[in-house]
Short mmCIF file of all heavy atoms in Angstrom, two decimals:
data_model
loop_
_atom_site.label_atom_id
_atom_site.label_comp_id
_atom_site.label_asym_id
_atom_site.label_seq_id
_atom_site.Cartn_x
_atom_site.Cartn_y
_atom_site.Cartn_z
N ALA A 188 95.20 91.74 144.48
CA ALA A 188 96.35 90.85 144.58
C ALA A 188 96.06 89.67 145.51
O ALA A 188 96.41 88.53 145.20
CB ALA A 188 97.57 91.63 145.08
N VAL A 189 95.38 89.92 146.62
CA VAL A 189 95.01 88.83 147.53
C VAL A 189 94.04 87.88 146.84
O VAL A 189 94.16 86.66 146.93
CB VAL A 189 94.42 89.38 148.85
CG1 VAL A 189 93.82 88.26 149.68
CG2 VAL A 189 95.48 90.13 149.64
N SER A 190 93.07 88.44 146.13
CA SER A 190 92.11 87.61 145.40
C SER A 190 92.82 86.73 144.37
O SER A 190 92.50 85.54 144.23
CB SER A 190 91.07 88.50 144.70
OG SER A 190 90.18 87.72 143.94
N ARG A 191 93.76 87.31 143.67
CA ARG A 191 94.52 86.55 142.67
C ARG A 191 95.29 85.40 143.32
O ARG A 191 95.29 84.27 142.82
CB ARG A 191 95.48 87.50 141.94
CG ARG A 191 96.15 86.92 140.74
CD ARG A 191 96.91 87.97 139.92
NE ARG A 191 97.65 88.96 140.69
CZ ARG A 191 97.28 90.23 140.86
NH1 ARG A 191 96.18 90.69 140.30
NH2 ARG A 191 98.03 91.06 141.57
N GLU A 192 95.91 85.66 144.47
CA GLU A 192 96.66 84.60 145.17
C GLU A 192 95.75 83.52 145.71
O GLU A 192 96.06 82.33 145.62
CB GLU A 192 97.50 85.19 146.31
CG GLU A 192 98.69 85.98 145.85
CD GLU A 192 99.68 85.16 145.06
OE1 GLU A 192 99.83 83.95 145.31
OE2 GLU A 192 100.32 85.73 144.16
N VAL A 193 94.61 83.90 146.27
CA VAL A 193 93.67 82.91 146.80
C VAL A 193 93.11 82.05 145.67
O VAL A 193 93.04 80.82 145.78
CB VAL A 193 92.53 83.60 147.59
CG1 VAL A 193 91.42 82.62 147.90
CG2 VAL A 193 93.07 84.22 148.86
N ARG A 194 92.74 82.68 144.57
CA ARG A 194 92.22 81.91 143.44
C ARG A 194 93.28 81.00 142.84
O ARG A 194 93.01 79.86 142.48
CB ARG A 194 91.67 82.85 142.37
CG ARG A 194 90.34 83.48 142.77
CD ARG A 194 89.90 84.49 141.73
NE ARG A 194 88.65 85.12 142.07
CZ ARG A 194 87.47 84.78 141.56
NH1 ARG A 194 87.39 83.83 140.68
NH2 ARG A 194 86.37 85.42 141.92
N ARG A 195 94.53 81.46 142.77
CA ARG A 195 95.61 80.62 142.27
C ARG A 195 95.83 79.42 143.20
O ARG A 195 96.00 78.29 142.75
CB ARG A 195 96.90 81.43 142.16
CG ARG A 195 98.07 80.63 141.60
CD ARG A 195 99.32 81.46 141.48
NE ARG A 195 99.09 82.56 140.55
CZ ARG A 195 99.60 83.78 140.69
NH1 ARG A 195 100.38 84.06 141.70
NH2 ARG A 195 99.35 84.71 139.80
N PHE A 196 95.79 79.67 144.50
CA PHE A 196 95.93 78.58 145.47
C PHE A 196 94.81 77.56 145.30
O PHE A 196 95.06 76.35 145.26
CB PHE A 196 95.92 79.14 146.90
CG PHE A 196 95.71 78.10 147.95
CD1 PHE A 196 96.76 77.28 148.32
CD2 PHE A 196 94.48 77.94 148.56
CE1 PHE A 196 96.58 76.31 149.28
CE2 PHE A 196 94.30 76.97 149.52
CZ PHE A 196 95.34 76.15 149.89
N LEU A 197 93.58 78.03 145.21
CA LEU A 197 92.44 77.12 145.07
C LEU A 197 92.53 76.31 143.78
O LEU A 197 92.19 75.13 143.76
CB LEU A 197 91.12 77.90 145.13
CG LEU A 197 90.80 78.53 146.49
CD1 LEU A 197 89.61 79.46 146.37
CD2 LEU A 197 90.58 77.47 147.54
N ASN A 198 92.99 76.94 142.72
CA ASN A 198 93.15 76.23 141.46
C ASN A 198 94.20 75.14 141.58
O ASN A 198 94.00 74.02 141.11
CB ASN A 198 93.52 77.21 140.35
CG ASN A 198 93.81 76.52 139.05
OD1 ASN A 198 94.95 76.21 138.74
ND2 ASN A 198 92.77 76.26 138.27
N ARG A 199 95.30 75.42 142.20
CA ARG A 199 96.38 74.44 142.30
C ARG A 199 96.05 73.29 143.24
O ARG A 199 96.45 72.17 143.01
CB ARG A 199 97.67 75.11 142.74
CG ARG A 199 98.25 75.97 141.66
CD ARG A 199 99.54 76.58 142.06
NE ARG A 199 100.09 77.35 140.96
CZ ARG A 199 101.04 78.23 141.08
NH1 ARG A 199 101.59 78.45 142.26
NH2 ARG A 199 101.48 78.89 140.04
N VAL A 200 95.31 73.59 144.31
CA VAL A 200 95.01 72.55 145.29
C VAL A 200 93.83 71.68 144.86
O VAL A 200 93.87 70.47 145.02
CB VAL A 200 94.76 73.17 146.67
CG1 VAL A 200 94.24 72.17 147.65
CG2 VAL A 200 96.04 73.78 147.20
N THR A 201 92.80 72.30 144.30
CA THR A 201 91.59 71.54 143.97
C THR A 201 91.48 71.18 142.49
O THR A 201 90.78 70.25 142.15
CB THR A 201 90.33 72.33 144.35
OG1 THR A 201 90.25 73.51 143.55
CG2 THR A 201 90.33 72.69 145.82
N GLY A 202 92.12 71.94 141.65
CA GLY A 202 91.99 71.70 140.21
C GLY A 202 90.80 72.45 139.62
O GLY A 202 90.60 72.44 138.41
N ALA A 203 89.99 73.09 140.46
CA ALA A 203 88.85 73.88 139.97
C ALA A 203 89.38 75.14 139.30
O ALA A 203 90.37 75.72 139.73
CB ALA A 203 87.94 74.27 141.13
N PRO A 204 88.74 75.58 138.23
CA PRO A 204 89.21 76.79 137.53
C PRO A 204 88.86 78.06 138.30
O PRO A 204 88.16 78.94 137.79
CB PRO A 204 88.49 76.70 136.19
CG PRO A 204 87.23 75.96 136.49
CD PRO A 204 87.58 74.98 137.56
N ALA A 205 89.32 78.17 139.52
CA ALA A 205 88.96 79.27 140.41
C ALA A 205 89.37 80.62 139.85
O ALA A 205 88.72 81.63 140.11
CB ALA A 205 89.59 79.07 141.79
N GLU A 206 90.42 80.67 139.09
CA GLU A 206 90.92 81.94 138.55
C GLU A 206 89.96 82.54 137.53
O GLU A 206 90.01 83.74 137.26
CB GLU A 206 92.29 81.73 137.93
CG GLU A 206 93.34 81.34 138.95
CD GLU A 206 94.62 80.85 138.32
OE1 GLU A 206 94.54 80.00 137.42
OE2 GLU A 206 95.68 81.34 138.74
N TYR A 207 89.08 81.71 136.98
CA TYR A 207 88.18 82.18 135.93
C TYR A 207 86.70 82.10 136.33
O TYR A 207 85.84 82.44 135.52
CB TYR A 207 88.40 81.36 134.65
CG TYR A 207 89.84 81.33 134.24
CD1 TYR A 207 90.61 80.20 134.42
CD2 TYR A 207 90.46 82.47 133.72
CE1 TYR A 207 91.95 80.19 134.07
CE2 TYR A 207 91.79 82.46 133.38
CZ TYR A 207 92.53 81.31 133.55
OH TYR A 207 93.85 81.30 133.21
N MET A 208 86.41 81.66 137.53
CA MET A 208 85.01 81.48 137.95
C MET A 208 84.38 82.80 138.37
O MET A 208 85.02 83.65 138.98
CB MET A 208 84.94 80.49 139.12
CG MET A 208 85.30 79.07 138.73
SD MET A 208 85.27 77.95 140.13
CE MET A 208 83.53 77.66 140.25
N GLN A 209 83.11 82.95 138.04
CA GLN A 209 82.34 84.10 138.49
C GLN A 209 81.89 83.86 139.93
O GLN A 209 81.79 82.73 140.38
CB GLN A 209 81.10 84.28 137.59
CG GLN A 209 81.42 84.50 136.14
CD GLN A 209 82.13 85.82 135.91
OE1 GLN A 209 81.82 86.82 136.54
NE2 GLN A 209 83.10 85.82 135.02
N LEU A 210 81.64 84.93 140.66
CA LEU A 210 81.23 84.79 142.06
C LEU A 210 79.95 83.98 142.22
O LEU A 210 79.79 83.25 143.20
CB LEU A 210 81.03 86.17 142.69
CG LEU A 210 82.30 86.92 143.07
CD1 LEU A 210 81.97 88.27 143.66
CD2 LEU A 210 83.15 86.12 144.03
N ALA A 211 79.04 84.07 141.27
CA ALA A 211 77.78 83.32 141.36
C ALA A 211 78.00 81.81 141.22
O ALA A 211 77.21 81.02 141.73
CB ALA A 211 76.81 83.80 140.28
N ASP A 212 79.06 81.41 140.58
CA ASP A 212 79.33 79.98 140.37
C ASP A 212 80.10 79.34 141.52
O ASP A 212 80.06 78.12 141.69
CB ASP A 212 80.14 79.77 139.09
CG ASP A 212 79.40 80.25 137.86
OD1 ASP A 212 78.15 80.24 137.89
OD2 ASP A 212 80.06 80.64 136.88
N ILE A 213 80.75 80.12 142.32
CA ILE A 213 81.61 79.58 143.37
C ILE A 213 80.83 78.83 144.45
O ILE A 213 81.26 77.75 144.85
CB ILE A 213 82.51 80.69 143.96
CG1 ILE A 213 83.51 81.12 142.89
CG2 ILE A 213 83.22 80.23 145.22
CD1 ILE A 213 84.38 82.29 143.27
N PRO A 214 79.69 79.33 144.94
CA PRO A 214 78.98 78.58 145.99
C PRO A 214 78.51 77.19 145.55
O PRO A 214 78.28 76.32 146.39
CB PRO A 214 77.79 79.46 146.34
CG PRO A 214 78.21 80.83 145.95
CD PRO A 214 79.08 80.65 144.75
N ARG A 215 78.38 76.95 144.26
CA ARG A 215 77.93 75.64 143.77
C ARG A 215 79.10 74.76 143.33
O ARG A 215 78.88 73.74 142.70
CB ARG A 215 76.98 75.83 142.59
CG ARG A 215 75.69 76.54 142.98
CD ARG A 215 74.74 76.61 141.82
NE ARG A 215 75.30 77.21 140.61
CZ ARG A 215 75.31 78.50 140.31
NH1 ARG A 215 74.77 79.35 141.14
NH2 ARG A 215 75.83 78.93 139.17
N SER A 216 80.31 75.14 143.67
CA SER A 216 81.49 74.38 143.24
C SER A 216 82.17 73.77 144.46
O SER A 216 81.71 73.92 145.59
CB SER A 216 82.46 75.29 142.49
OG SER A 216 83.03 76.22 143.38
N GLU A 217 83.27 73.09 144.19
CA GLU A 217 84.02 72.46 145.28
C GLU A 217 84.80 73.46 146.13
O GLU A 217 85.35 73.09 147.16
CB GLU A 217 84.96 71.40 144.72
CG GLU A 217 85.99 71.95 143.74
CD GLU A 217 86.75 70.84 143.06
OE1 GLU A 217 87.70 70.35 143.68
OE2 GLU A 217 86.39 70.50 141.93
N ILE A 218 84.84 74.71 145.71
CA ILE A 218 85.53 75.74 146.50
C ILE A 218 84.52 76.66 147.18
O ILE A 218 84.80 77.82 147.44
CB ILE A 218 86.51 76.55 145.61
CG1 ILE A 218 85.78 77.23 144.47
CG2 ILE A 218 87.63 75.66 145.12
CD1 ILE A 218 86.64 78.22 143.72
N ALA A 219 83.35 76.12 147.50
CA ALA A 219 82.28 76.91 148.11
C ALA A 219 82.70 77.54 149.44
O ALA A 219 82.20 78.61 149.81
CB ALA A 219 81.05 76.04 148.31
N ALA A 220 83.61 76.92 150.16
CA ALA A 220 84.05 77.45 151.45
C ALA A 220 84.76 78.80 151.30
O ALA A 220 84.84 79.57 152.26
CB ALA A 220 84.98 76.46 152.13
#
Side-chain angles (χ1 to χ4, degrees):
V189 170
S190 177
R191 190 171 41 254
E192 288 299 328
V193 169
R194 286 175 180 260
R195 182 179 298 144
F196 166 77
L197 293 171
N198 175 266
R199 288 183 178 165
V200 171
T201 65
E206 295 168 311
Y207 307 106
M208 292 177 80
Q209 300 294 322
L210 283 179
D212 298 332
I213 292 175
R215 295 185 306 272
S216 69
E217 60 189 278
I218 59 170

